[in-house]
Amino acid sequence: MALPMPPGGEGADLNASDDKRTLDMVMRRFQRADDDRAHRVDGWREYYRLYRSFVDKQKVDGRANLFIPETFSAVETIVPRIIEAIFQASPVVTVLPRGPEDVKKTKPAEMLLDYQFDRSELVDRFEQMVKECLIYGTAIGKVRWRVQTKVTKRRQPVQIPLLRVRVGWRTVEVPIVLYDDPTFEPIDLMDFWIDPDATSIDQARYVIHRSRADMDELLEAERQGIYHNIAAIAEGENDGTSPPQRERLSVVGLGSGEQYDEDAKPVELLEYWEDDRIVTVANRSVVIRDEPNPYWHGRKPFVAIRDVIVPHEFYGIGEVEVIKYLQAELNTTRNQRIDNVSLIINRMWKILRGADIDPDQLVSRPGGFVEVNSMTDVEPLEMMDVSASSYNEEQIIKQDIQRSLGVYDFARGQSAPRRATATEVVSLQEVAEIRFRHKIRRMEREGLRKIAEFFLMLDQQFISEDRVLRITENEGFNWVPVRPEDIAGQYDLEPAGSAVEPLANKQMKQTALTTLYGIVKGHPGVDEYEMIKDIYEAFEIKDADRILNKQIFDILRQVQLAQIIPPQLLAGPTPPGSPAPPMAGGPVPPEGPPIAPGGQMPVEGGGEVVQ
């Protein structure tokens, strides 16, 4: 009979050998991915400096050294438009069934996703991802199931047994669940590596995510069975690099670039993911996790969005990369103009060598003079004023930036040129809107839809008990039950923001409806109530029925119709077998009522008479 292996025996050697092969494989692939993206890292640092409008402190005395924040303005103009377009609809994502058996389940799934999006602060985190995408061209996010618990103190009544009489209070410690749902986290692009041969995360053989953790966190994870071999990690022994955010701040003069506090002694974790496997390496030397993918969906739990897609490449092109040279030209032009004006105001002089001239006398001052032996001893150094032409150059540069990005002054809230008509402005906005619309739809497909898919798949895996959701509505909130069987099934997810009307189309629709209403107002053939409702909807005014009184519109409409249409036509068609109504000016049927003197026909009930 075989005996169990003692600790440190042959079994331990086999495990150590497997860990060594795994470590070599992970570090070899990590190094290859790091070498492949190395040339991009310097560009990312440069784009960050341009976004932050960083000015090098070293400059020549007396010369201008300004940075015109055109890059910052462009990014901050695009970000809110994208976020507003994606998240203004409710629900944010529409759940569509793949089969008739799942039709009734779509509504609970939609409500659950909307509730979890709100709890996980998805809007704020997705905004960070979009901004990083616009700056660097690519942004990465991670979706995982997060469980957060906490032990808190609460008061508990003390009662006398049997009598159920409270005699006091006592303090007890109780565990509470703070969070038990899927969550989305934007990841620093500097902390992410991908298979160099891949063009997407799904197609990649592997990806690597770097993070840092304290030793106490790792020991707690080991107690939970997530990690092992924590004792083999040498504290404080890591890659020796600063966290990316500290490094970025240091290049713009806002930080020292130093590592974490020595007391913290962080451990660097390289989390290696394949579709069916996860490996975690601590401090690039110890394998502390190697197991199958813990998620049922069997995918790498990351999403990537790109600003401008480059065919057959993973990394995209951002807004900053497109205009970095134009930004440098704009800075140079502005600084040269300031220098030119400064030289004109602070005039320089030509002094004949050997002339007895006191330099203090050359300083401009009221009533000042310069003593000379000859009128040619001192002459002003003439400088041409080129500031007027530099204004034109600056305007041309800004127009180039606007054409490159599709971000015109109108989109930034600036007034239109005096010669531009409203139609021209709206047309220009519509052209720019096409680019925005395409960018928004791609970020919805690459980002939001995949995030929602991960959320729903994690819900199907981890939600095993009934839940009650608090759904906020216009006048309060309701409690909606959701059972595990309510979200089971196969679904297609569609971001609702794609159907939202672009800004330029809204303005055109508002203008067209308002103009049309002015033309047809008062026409008896037009239902003004319905038309005003359409105008209210175009201006996104909700609850039109609360503002408009439909009964008043109906009465006014009846009065209008009565003024031009005979009552017998308003009464509708004559029932079969009934005598035909008399026509104005025609003969009276024999069976009809007698004709009153004067040719008038009385109307029952004492109403008006028809001539």
Side-chain angles (χ1 to χ4, degrees):
M1 183 178 66
L3 298 176
M5 285 290 179
E10 183 179 348
D13 292 339
L14 289 175
N15 290 336
S17 178
D18 291 342
D19 286 349
K20 182 64 170 62
R21 285 195 296 269
T22 300
L23 176 64
D24 292 342
M25 181 271 295
V26 171
M27 295 311 302
R28 185 174 60 253
R29 293 188 170 184
F30 170 78
Q31 189 61 51
R32 181 169 181 261
D34 189 61
D35 292 341
D36 179 74
R37 72 161 208 182
H39 68 284
R40 301 181 184 274
V41 174
D42 290 338
W44 294 342
R45 294 192 182 105
E46 180 185 3
Y47 306 152
Y48 178 75
R49 288 194 293 267
L50 292 174
Y51 169 72
R52 294 298 298 261
S53 304
F54 174 69
V55 178
D56 190 354
K57 300 300 181 183
Q58 298 179 356
K59 68 167 189 172
V60 179
D61 291 341
R63 294 294 182 89
N65 191 29
L66 300 179
F67 193 108
I68 314 306
E70 197 71 17
T71 300
F72 175 85
S73 175
V75 172
E76 294 303 316
T77 298
I78 298 174
V79 169
R81 298 194 66 178
I82 292 177
I83 297 300
E84 181 67 20
I86 292 178
F87 290 100
Q88 67 175 309
S90 182
V92 177
V93 173
T94 303
V95 179
L96 303 174
R98 290 186 181 176
E101 67 278 3
D102 296 325
V103 173
K104 295 182 179 180
K105 301 178 182 179
T106 57
K107 197 61 179 177
E110 278 184 4
M111 291 188 295
L112 178 62
L113 286 176
D114 236 32
Y115 175 78
Q116 291 175 332
F117 287 167
D118 182 62
R119 284 215 67 199
S120 62
E121 300 177 345
L122 179 64
V123 177
D124 296 336
R125 299 185 180 193
F126 197 81
E127 180 181 350
Q128 296 180 42
M129 192 178 183
V130 169
K131 185 171 295 188
E132 187 168 22
C133 176
L134 297 179
I135 296 174
Y136 305 114
T138 308
I140 308 295
K142 183 179 183 181
V143 182
R144 63 184 180 89
W145 190 270
R146 174 187 168 207
V147 178
Q148 182 181 4
T149 60
K150 179 182 178 181
V151 177
T152 185
K153 293 182 179 181
R154 290 185 177 178
R155 294 186 182 276
Q156 190 178 79
V158 178
Q159 297 179 343
I160 298 177
L162 301 179
L163 297 179
R164 296 184 180 179
V165 177
R166 189 181 67 196
V167 296
W169 297 87
R170 64 178 176 180
T171 302
V172 296
E173 292 186 347
V174 294
I176 60 173
V177 177
L178 300 178
Y179 195 93
D180 189 11
D181 281 299
T183 186
F184 170 76
E185 302 169 353
I187 292 177
D188 198 311
L189 190 60
M190 297 287 287
D191 281 331
F192 185 80
W193 289 260
I194 190 170
D195 174 11
D197 299 324
T199 59
S200 68
I201 291 178
D202 290 337
Q203 184 259 343
R205 291 177 298 166
Y206 65 90
V207 299
I208 300 174
H209 172 216
R210 177 175 63 183
S211 61
R212 292 170 174 83
D214 294 336
M215 186 61 70
D216 292 341
E217 298 174 348
L218 298 179
L219 291 173
E220 176 61 28
E222 186 177 39
R223 284 191 290 269
Q224 297 175 5
I226 299 174
Y227 296 143
H228 68 275
N229 206 22
I230 301 299
I233 302 174
E235 289 192 15
E237 180 183 329
N238 53 36
D239 63 332
T241 60
S242 301
Q245 64 271 24
R246 288 177 176 265
E247 182 183 354
R248 282 193 298 269
L249 290 173
S250 67
V251 300
V252 295
L254 298 177
S256 62
E258 297 178 355
Q259 297 186 34
Y260 289 109
D261 186 356
E262 286 297 327
D263 295 335
K265 296 182 180 179
V267 176
E268 181 203 53
L269 302 178
L270 294 180
E271 200 172 80
Y272 171 93
W273 282 88
E274 297 176 358
D275 284 336
D276 57 355
R277 185 184 185 188
I278 176 175
V279 178
T280 304
V281 176
N283 284 346
R284 308 192 183 187
S285 59
V286 181
V287 175
I288 62 175
R289 186 181 189 183
D290 185 2
E291 61 184 34
N293 189 333
Y295 298 129
W296 290 355
H297 55 62
R299 295 162 58 181
K300 297 176 284 290
F302 298 91
V303 297
I305 59 174
R306 292 166 291 181
D307 186 13
V308 177
I309 292 179
V310 180
H312 314 297
E313 295 183 16
F314 173 74
Y315 293 102
I317 298 175
E319 308 293 307
V320 181
E321 181 178 352
V322 174
I323 64 172
K324 64 177 183 179
Y325 295 115
L326 292 173
Q327 176 69 72
E329 183 184 8
L330 179 61
N331 293 341
T332 301
T333 302
R334 178 71 67 86
N335 287 320
Q336 287 176 339
R337 183 171 74 239
I338 295 175
D339 289 342
N340 177 243
V341 173
S342 297
L343 290 173
I344 293 174
I345 295 175
N346 300 308
R347 171 170 290 187
M348 296 182 65
W349 303 87
K350 295 185 295 183
I351 302 178
L352 184 66
R353 183 177 287 107
D356 186 15
I357 303 296
D358 184 1
D360 292 339
Q361 292 183 335
L362 300 179
V363 178
S364 177
R365 61 199 183 279
F369 60 89
V370 180
E371 295 178 347
V372 297
N373 296 321
S374 171
M375 296 305 294
T376 59
D377 286 349
V378 179
E379 293 182 358
L381 183 62
E382 298 294 341
M383 300 292 297
M384 295 183 60
D385 184 358
V386 296
S387 58
S389 61
S390 71
Y391 280 108
N392 294 332
E393 289 294 328
E394 181 174 332
Q395 191 62 32
I396 292 174
I397 298 171
K398 289 185 176 181
Q399 290 174 356
D400 290 340
I401 292 176
Q402 292 178 12
R403 283 194 293 267
S404 299
L405 303 182
V407 182
Y408 297 94
D409 288 337
F410 317 116
R412 307 184 193 204
Q414 299 181 15
S415 59
R418 294 181 180 179
R419 296 182 179 180
T421 64
T423 303
E424 292 172 341
V425 172
V426 172
S427 300
L428 190 60
Q429 287 178 335
E430 174 62 16
V431 172
E433 202 73 48
I434 295 175
R435 296 183 61 175
F436 279 118
R437 203 179 314 156
H438 179 70
K439 194 185 299 290
I440 290 167
R441 286 176 177 171
R442 186 172 61 253
M443 290 187 180
E444 285 179 331
R445 292 194 304 269
E446 291 187 337
L448 181 61
R449 182 163 63 186
K450 289 193 175 182
I451 293 171
E453 289 175 354
F454 278 129
F455 268 49
L456 191 54
M457 288 186 291
L458 292 176
D459 288 332
Q460 293 173 344
Q461 177 179 350
F462 290 102
I463 294 181
S464 57
E465 298 179 353
D466 294 354
R467 288 192 174 192
V468 178
L469 307 180
R470 185 188 67 243
I471 305 300
T472 304
E473 297 181 344
N474 294 333
E475 299 180 357
F477 55 86
N478 287 328
W479 299 101
V480 179
V482 176
R483 301 170 301 172
E485 56 267 29
D486 291 338
I487 58 176
Q490 297 292 321
Y491 305 98
D492 292 319
L493 304 180
E494 187 65 32
S498 300
V500 176
E501 203 168 10
L503 177 62
N505 284 351
K506 288 180 180 179
Q507 294 175 342
M508 295 177 68
K509 184 176 181 179
Q510 292 167 1
T511 303
L513 284 175
T514 305
T515 303
L516 180 62
Y517 178 70
I519 296 174
V520 302
K521 181 180 179 181
H523 192 284
V526 175
D527 190 335
E528 292 191 34
Y529 172 77
E530 294 296 333
M531 190 162 192
I532 293 178
K533 280 187 64 176
D534 290 342
I535 295 175
Y536 278 23
E537 290 178 1
F539 282 91
E540 298 183 353
I541 299 175
K542 300 180 180 179
D543 299 333
D545 292 331
R546 181 176 57 85
I547 302 173
L548 302 175
N549 191 326
K550 189 176 188 306
Q551 294 180 348
I552 298 297
F553 279 91
D554 291 341
I555 294 174
L556 293 176
R557 181 171 174 79
Q558 291 296 326
V559 171
Q560 289 177 332
L561 294 176
Q563 292 175 352
I564 61 173
I565 301 178
Q568 59 269 28
L569 294 182
L570 288 176
T574 303
S578 301
M583 300 298 295
V588 179
E591 61 273 15
I595 301 298
Q600 296 180 346
M601 182 175 65
V603 180
E604 294 184 5
E608 295 183 358
V609 294
V610 179
Q611 298 292 336

